[in-house]
Amino acid sequence: MASVHSQRTGEELPSRQPLYVQVRDQIVTSIEAGEWHAGDMLPSEFELADRFRVSQGTVRKGLDLLEAEGVLRRRQGLGTFVAEADDGWGRAELPGIGHPLDADLELLSCSRGHAGDTAAAALGLRRGAAITVVRRLARVAGEPFALIDSCVSSERFDGLDARRIKQADCNLRRIWLRQFGLRVVSDSPLYRAGLAGREEARLLGVGLDAPLLEVLRTASGMDGRPVEWTTVWCRTDLYGYRP
Amino acid sequence: MASVHSQRTGEELPSRQPLYVQVRDQIVTSIEAGEWHAGDMLPSEFELADRFRVSQGTVRKGLDLLEAEGVLRRRQGLGTFVAEADDGWGRAELPGIGHPLDADLELLSCSRGHAGDTAAAALGLRRGAAITVVRRLARVAGEPFALIDSCVSSERFDGLDARRIKQADCNLRRIWLRQFGLRVVSDSPLYRAGLAGREEARLLGVGLDAPLLEVLRTASGMDGRPVEWTTVWCRTDLYGYRP
DNA sequence: CAGTGGTCTAGACCACTCG
DNA sequence: GAGTGGTCTAGACCACTGG
């Protein structure tokens, strides 16, 4: 990797990235291309250094980035592994110091629509652009906990439908990665409190006007551009929400 | 810093920390001891390397940690600077992509009490231990936005009172640092949604049973032990909450 | 035991900021 | 130009894991 241009097809990227960032990007690209799947062990740092024509320390710095982003997991004496794509909707947790609880995801709907002002701004689309809205329900111990609406550009994720989502166990990030070759990372969310409307109350099993936690978040691809806009409506009478 | 024991007074810490962690700890200790204050420039990496008897790369790794924790700020060509202690209660932000808004903090009360189960568990104290509760109000553009209750051990923060808090512009972290020589970092918060009680409604200027965002968070010292337990009640009808 | 990641060093060069 | 942080290298040794 003596030079960016010698290995890239000729696109761009902000002029000149440090080598360790290029290493990071190359590894993400390889994962997105299907060279390594979730659970696979990556070549050793020295092998990667050889492959990318950089020193082992530079490879390590790139791997450090990816571990911090949750893309890789490393264990001393064992190796570096590709992490399972986390759906990233959040987690339920008991307020008194406890571990995150397991939740089951259920697909409620997958429908087409047009971007309103908020969604368009969040996704960098023009107002009225075609979007696909995926509505899911998260259950904890069988009880409804969160209603999750995710919006993506219909153009970018062409062919996204209920069948595919169910096949992927309702894990959207897994679909982005395996079907569309795109690994995303969640941005920092914005939080609000609101009251349950008719629809939310029915789906979450709470009374009308019950207090609900609203979590607003975008997720961006490796290039930093937002590709997913998610709103979570969360009842927190039993559990708290941990990002 | 050939050995931990040669420079430590003989306490403990998990057996044997890496050198760069020891560098990090030494620097925090120096800041807490008042050697460098907020805004001060630290010695260069090479000077620090000389002082700690390690290589410049090891110093850098320690500084990287501190920058990630928000303790230091570094600017290429300029130097490394001690960051202002951030109070860490959070920030208000307009839901449609915008910057965090400035908030004014007002002290409502500073009172003594006894730890309930939650506070005791969160702070690692015994139930009923003496605690000091600081209640503050955050205003955005003059309008009440958040009610912030912070609990600390009265024993550890002996002499904490309203006068000191006002002198520090209601920035508690600044007091922990300057008066008690302790720099803390916020842990990941837990979120809930609730309804405004009589007290919260009055102070925040919302109606009874208005939806409020509840943020629960501990903050821990350099040694990882929790020292501050904060609950934020936040009205989010106008702005969102960003951690 | 061999192979992995984790730490540490010494030295080089670059990019930025200021006077 | 002098001084700073940012990147990169090559090589060494340690600590952990598995067979």
Side-chain angles (χ1 to χ4, degrees), chain A residues 2-229:
Chain A
S3 159
V4 196
H5 310 293
S6 65
Q7 299 211 357
R8 288 270 170 76
T9 54
E11 340 91 58
E12 13 41 67
L13 286 195
S15 63
R16 185 68 168 78
Q17 295 281 86
L19 285 183
Y20 70 89
V21 175
Q22 296 181 40
V23 167
R24 184 202 91 112
D25 292 351
Q26 294 266 5
I27 291 174
V28 171
T29 301
S30 295
I31 293 175
E32 290 179 342
E35 182 171 349
W36 304 302
H37 299 89
D40 286 359
M41 179 174 151
L42 259 61
S44 76
E45 297 180 346
F46 282 97
E47 284 181 89
L48 289 171
D50 205 57
R51 162 167 167 174
F52 295 134
R53 309 302 202 103
V54 297
S55 74
Q56 174 257 3
T58 302
V59 166
R60 171 178 294 270
K61 206 163 174 186
L63 296 178
D64 283 347
L65 281 185
L66 289 168
E67 189 179 31
E69 293 174 40
V71 176
L72 300 178
R73 251 174 38 113
R74 321 173 73 188
R75 284 177 56 193
Q76 182 172 160
L78 262 181
T80 301
F81 302 84
V82 180
E84 177 64 54
D86 180 9
D87 184 76
W89 67 269
R91 278 177 173 37
E93 185 172 322
L94 280 171
I97 292 169
H99 343 277
L101 299 165
D102 283 331
D104 292 317
L105 288 176
E106 174 192 345
L107 178 66
L108 297 183
S109 65
C110 174
S111 56
R112 298 303 187 89
H114 298 281
D117 287 330
T118 330
L123 290 174
L125 302 173
R126 67 183 187 287
R127 191 164 170 279
I131 57 171
T132 303
V133 182
V134 179
R135 166 163 284 194
R136 293 171 296 169
L137 183 69
R139 292 176 186 273
V140 175
E143 284 294 304
F145 173 69
L147 186 63
I148 308 156
D149 282 338
S150 299
C151 301
V152 295
S153 157
S154 301
E155 197 175 343
R156 202 187 214 303
F157 296 96
D158 186 36
L160 178 66
D161 58 18
R163 189 182 51 83
R164 287 195 175 188
I165 295 172
K166 284 179 186 159
Q167 274 181 350
D169 285 333
C170 290
N171 183 326
L172 294 185
R173 302 283 172 89
R174 197 180 294 168
I175 299 179
W176 303 166
L177 178 57
R178 297 202 187 157
Q179 315 268 335
F180 298 96
L182 185 70
R183 192 177 267 273
V184 304
V185 173
S186 293
D187 304 320
S188 165
L190 195 69
Y191 297 89
R192 306 188 73 175
L195 298 175
R198 216 167 28 105
E199 190 73 356
E200 293 87 14
R202 185 176 64 82
L203 292 168
L204 288 172
V206 296
L208 200 65
D209 290 340
L212 292 182
L213 174 67
E214 186 183 7
V215 186
L216 309 165
R217 172 171 40 203
T218 56
S220 305
M222 187 192 82
D223 56 4
R225 287 193 304 204
V227 296
E228 175 194 321
W229 162 246

Side-chain angles (χ1 to χ4, degrees), chain B residues 18-20 53-58 61 76-78:
Chain B
L19 285 184
Y20 70 89
R53 309 299 200 107
V54 298
S55 74
Q56 173 257 3
T58 301
K61 207 163 174 185
Q76 181 172 160
L78 263 180

Side-chain angles (χ1 to χ4, degrees), chain B:
Chain B
M1 199 177 289
S3 159
V4 197
H5 309 294
S6 66
Q7 301 211 356
R8 289 270 172 76
T9 54
E11 340 93 58
E12 12 44 63
L13 286 196
S15 64
R16 184 71 168 78
Q17 295 281 88
L19 285 184
Y20 70 89
V21 174
Q22 297 181 41
V23 167
R24 184 200 91 113
D25 292 351
Q26 293 267 7
I27 291 173
V28 171
T29 301
S30 295
I31 293 176
E32 291 179 341
E35 182 171 348
W36 303 304
H37 298 90
D40 286 359
M41 180 174 149
L42 260 61
S44 76
E45 298 180 345
F46 282 97
E47 283 181 87
L48 289 171
D50 206 58
R51 163 168 168 174
F52 295 134
R53 309 299 200 107
V54 298
S55 74
Q56 173 257 3
T58 301
V59 167
R60 171 177 295 271
K61 207 163 174 185
L63 296 178
D64 284 346
L65 282 184
L66 289 168
E67 189 178 30
E69 294 173 39
V71 176
L72 300 178
R73 251 176 36 113
R74 321 172 73 190
R75 285 177 54 194
Q76 181 172 160
L78 263 180
T80 300
F81 302 85
V82 180
E84 177 64 55
D86 181 9
D87 184 76
W89 67 269
R91 277 180 174 37
E93 185 172 322
L94 279 169
I97 293 170
H99 342 276
L101 299 165
D102 283 331
D104 293 316
L105 287 177
E106 175 192 344
L107 178 65
L108 296 183
S109 65
C110 174
S111 54
R112 299 301 187 90
H114 297 281
D117 287 330
T118 330
L123 290 175
L125 301 172
R126 67 184 188 286
R127 190 164 172 282
I131 57 170
T132 302
V133 182
V134 180
R135 167 162 282 195
R136 293 172 296 168
L137 182 68
R139 292 175 186 273
V140 175
E143 284 293 305
F145 173 68
L147 187 62
I148 310 156
D149 282 338
S150 299
C151 302
V152 294
S153 158
S154 300
E155 196 174 344
R156 201 187 215 303
F157 295 96
D158 186 36
L160 178 67
D161 57 18
R163 188 182 51 82
R164 286 194 175 188
I165 296 172
K166 282 178 186 160
Q167 274 182 349
D169 285 333
C170 291
N171 183 327
L172 294 185
R173 302 283 171 91
R174 197 180 296 168
I175 300 179
W176 303 167
L177 178 58
R178 298 202 186 157
Q179 315 266 336
F180 298 96
L182 185 71
R183 192 177 267 273
V184 304
V185 174
S186 293
D187 304 321
S188 166
L190 195 70
Y191 297 90
R192 307 189 72 175
L195 298 176
R198 219 165 27 105
E199 190 73 356
E200 293 87 14
R202 185 176 63 81
L203 292 167
L204 288 172
V206 296
L208 201 66
D209 290 340
L212 292 182
L213 174 66
E214 186 182 8
V215 186
L216 309 165
R217 171 171 41 202
T218 56
S220 305
M222 187 191 84
D223 56 4
R225 287 193 303 204
V227 295
E228 175 194 320
W229 162 247
T230 298
T231 301
V232 180
W233 285 99
C234 195
R235 61 182 281 198
T236 54
D237 46 345
L238 296 172
Y239 312 106
Y241 177 88
R242 172 92 63 185

